[in-house]
Amino acid sequence: MKSTALFSFVIASILLPFTPRAFATARPTKAQPRVLTLKAAAEKALRLNPQLGEKEEHINQMEAQIPITRSQLLPNIKLTATESRAKGALLYPLSLFNGNPYNQYETTLSLTQPLFAIGSISAIHAARLDRNISQLDAQIDRRNLLSQLIQAYFQVVMTTRNKQILQQQFKILKESFQTAVHRARIGRSQLLDALQTKTQLALLDSQIANATSQYEVAVAQLANVIGEPKLTNFEMKNSLKVPSLKSVDQMIQPSLKNHTYQLPELRENTLNAEKVADQKEEMLGENLPSLEFVGSYGELSYKKSDLFTGPAQEWNIGLQLNVPLFSGLSTLYQLRSYASQERQLDIDRQNIENQMTLQQVSARKTLQSAARSILSGEAALKLARASSDEARRDYRYATIDVLQFLQVQTSYMQAESALNTYKYNYLVALANYYVANGQPMMNLINLLEEINK
């Protein structure tokens, strides 16, 4: 009697409803979630990302610097007005007002116009190069941002799919649990089968909760890349389709063959070298003769009433030649400094070319490996799905035990999750491949958008 009562108690305990935390009913929200496509996310990121916005504003700063530098070649006009009290020394025979204190009033309008200065045009060109370098910096950041966006976007898709796989597996095991309990009641199987199935349900519950956390982190990461931290209420197409490697090659091989790709790092190195050459010429100009047109017109009087009368007027015009003679050998050391900068840029260019070559080879091999993994993953998933269907049918007819059934279901879940990971890795490798080969990232985004409709 005691064993029968104990058996009934255990059956009652395992029959208690089991609902995972991730399946808890959430309160409905009033706002309808927006559909966030990959292209829409890219457009929002280009518009809202603060780091990219800072780079764009730096371009405006460098743009404003160009007319400031150009203004050095324009006339410089200055008006000076002076009112003073003075006294001449009696030691000199021409002392004004016999050495008595007197007032002096003076206004001067002076003009300086540079006519010839070596390096003045180079200074303007260097300012334009600063603007162009800032544009290249923004282009690099824009490219990297779109690459990060692709990864963050499909990270959300992958975590969503993995969570759904666990939830679907939970439903399958729940049905099997009910079957095991029914068989235990009628004595067709052991109570251990039901307990093991319920153990797997409990483990799946924690895995679903972990998958939910990973999804929330992925959403936060996507919102951070876009630059909209409060972006949480949205929907995405639950599709993880990837373009074939052959179609990708057909798109970008003409660009690689005709050398029409863009590697902004190399272009930036070239502009920096040109900037150093301009700065060196500007520095040399400061130590070479320069010619200016100068002129002044003014009023000088000792009474305010005579200040703007004809006798108080004075003026002069002429040419001024400035010839630097000695500056402590600073020019020599500045030339050495610029020569060192040029050597550094040459070394940096060689390093960039080496890194680009390595990235292109590495990205290509990684992409090919990821493509092979997808083929293997699809084959494994096909077999795992067939095994799962067969195991469910056999378990329903009690031709296999619960351990075999659980192993088959676990393999099916792992195969489907692995395929999602393989596809995500392929997309990451594809983004890196586009970056390494100087391809426009928006072309890749349009391609992914098209195949994931």
Side-chain angles (χ1 to χ4, degrees):
M1 293 295 293
K2 290 183 179 180
S3 59
T4 304
L6 179 60
F7 180 79
S8 301
F9 174 76
V10 173
I11 288 293
S13 64
I14 64 175
L15 283 176
L16 290 175
F18 188 92
T19 303
R21 294 185 296 273
F23 276 64
T25 304
R27 295 181 180 178
T29 57
K30 296 181 180 180
Q32 292 295 328
R34 298 169 293 174
V35 176
L36 183 65
T37 63
L38 178 60
K39 189 173 183 180
E43 293 172 351
K44 289 173 71 69
L46 294 177
R47 187 175 67 254
L48 299 177
N49 185 270
Q51 182 177 355
L52 185 59
E54 181 183 0
K55 292 291 185 179
E56 297 288 349
E57 192 57 38
H58 190 262
I59 295 176
N60 297 333
Q61 177 188 349
M62 293 297 101
E63 185 73 36
Q65 193 65 33
I66 297 176
I68 294 176
T69 307
R70 191 187 298 120
S71 66
Q72 303 299 319
L73 302 180
L74 300 178
N76 187 350
I77 303 175
K78 181 173 63 174
L79 175 64
T80 304
T82 305
E83 178 181 352
S84 60
R85 181 85 172 160
K87 175 184 179 299
L90 290 175
L91 294 175
Y92 300 97
L94 298 178
S95 177
L96 294 175
F97 300 100
N98 296 322
N100 296 318
Y102 61 90
N103 295 327
Q104 180 172 303
Y105 306 94
E106 183 178 6
T107 61
T108 304
L109 184 66
S110 59
L111 167 68
T112 302
Q113 171 61 59
L115 297 179
F116 174 77
I118 297 176
S120 57
I121 302 300
S122 297
I124 299 176
H125 188 248
R128 290 173 178 167
L129 288 176
D130 280 333
R131 186 267 317 274
N132 295 340
I133 292 171
S134 296
Q135 290 176 338
L136 287 174
D137 285 338
Q139 180 181 346
I140 293 172
D141 276 21
R142 193 179 301 112
R143 177 201 66 190
N144 295 339
L145 175 65
L146 292 178
S147 177
Q148 293 173 10
L149 175 73
I150 292 174
Q151 299 179 35
Y153 185 90
F154 285 103
Q155 179 75 22
V156 176
V157 175
M158 183 182 69
T159 54
T160 302
R161 292 171 66 90
N162 288 340
K163 180 180 175 181
Q164 291 175 345
I165 291 171
L166 293 172
Q167 291 174 338
Q168 182 181 6
Q169 188 69 15
F170 184 90
K171 293 179 180 178
I172 294 174
L173 290 185
K174 193 173 182 180
E175 294 175 358
S176 303
F177 168 69
Q178 294 173 350
T179 302
V181 170
H182 175 70
R183 291 176 180 174
R185 277 181 171 176
I186 62 178
R188 292 185 57 189
S189 66
Q190 297 179 358
L191 182 60
L192 180 61
D193 292 348
L195 292 173
Q196 288 180 331
T197 309
K198 191 169 184 179
T199 300
Q200 292 300 318
L201 286 172
L203 292 175
L204 274 179
D205 181 26
S206 63
Q207 293 178 21
I208 292 173
N210 184 47
T212 302
S213 299
Q214 292 179 357
Y215 166 78
E216 293 172 351
V217 171
V219 169
Q221 178 65 26
L222 176 61
N224 179 67
V225 172
I226 292 177
E228 192 175 3
K230 296 183 179 180
L231 181 66
T232 55
N233 188 26
F234 62 89
E235 289 182 350
M236 303 170 66
K237 295 184 181 299
N238 188 14
S239 176
L240 204 58
K241 296 180 181 179
V242 298
S244 65
L245 187 55
K246 182 178 180 180
S247 64
V248 172
D249 286 338
Q250 290 175 349
M251 288 185 61
I252 69 175
Q253 283 301 326
S255 173
L256 299 178
K257 184 178 180 180
N258 299 326
H259 300 282
T260 56
Y261 51 87
Q262 296 182 354
L263 297 175
E265 288 85 357
L266 289 177
R267 177 59 180 163
E268 185 176 13
N269 178 272
T270 301
L271 294 185
N272 278 317
E274 294 179 9
K275 178 183 174 182
V276 170
D278 288 333
Q279 290 175 334
K280 181 169 65 174
E281 185 173 352
E282 182 184 1
M283 181 274 299
L284 289 174
E286 295 174 354
N287 294 275
L288 293 174
S290 62
L291 184 65
E292 297 176 335
F293 172 80
V294 295
S296 66
Y297 172 83
E299 308 278 348
L300 176 63
S301 70
Y302 303 100
K303 294 181 180 180
K304 287 185 178 181
S305 58
D306 297 336
L307 186 59
F308 297 105
T309 60
Q313 296 176 357
E314 61 179 3
W315 60 269
N316 70 79
I317 59 174
L319 296 176
Q320 177 175 306
L321 177 65
N322 302 311
V323 182
L325 297 179
F326 182 72
S327 58
L329 301 179
S330 62
T331 304
L332 176 62
Y333 296 110
Q334 287 175 324
L335 286 174
R336 291 180 180 178
S337 174
Y338 284 120
S340 176
Q341 292 183 45
E342 290 173 343
R343 287 194 295 270
Q344 291 177 50
L345 287 171
D346 289 339
I347 296 172
D348 183 58
R349 183 176 186 85
Q350 184 179 9
N351 180 57
I352 291 174
E353 291 175 348
N354 293 341
Q355 290 295 325
M356 288 296 179
T357 302
L358 174 61
Q359 289 179 10
Q360 289 171 359
V361 174
S362 175
R364 178 67 182 185
K365 296 303 179 182
T366 303
L367 187 62
Q368 291 174 340
S369 176
R372 289 193 295 268
S373 297
I374 290 176
L375 294 178
S376 301
E378 289 175 342
L381 179 60
K382 184 177 180 180
L383 293 173
R385 184 179 292 113
S387 299
S388 175
D389 294 339
E390 184 69 20
R392 292 176 66 183
R393 183 166 50 252
D394 291 345
Y395 184 69
R396 191 179 303 115
Y397 294 119
T399 57
I400 61 174
D401 59 25
V402 68
L403 289 179
Q404 290 178 298
F405 174 76
L406 293 177
Q407 289 175 353
V408 171
Q409 295 304 318
T410 300
S411 298
Y412 173 57
M413 180 177 62
Q414 291 175 346
E416 192 167 4
S417 178
L419 181 59
N420 290 335
T421 302
Y422 295 153
K423 289 183 177 181
Y424 174 76
N425 291 340
Y426 180 86
L427 291 171
V428 173
L430 189 58
N432 293 334
Y433 186 64
Y434 264 67
V435 170
N437 288 279
Q439 301 300 308
M441 295 303 296
M442 285 304 300
N443 290 353
L444 176 58
I445 288 176
N446 291 332
L447 173 63
L448 298 178
E449 179 90 359
E450 180 67 24
I451 65 175
N452 281 283
K453 283 185 177 180

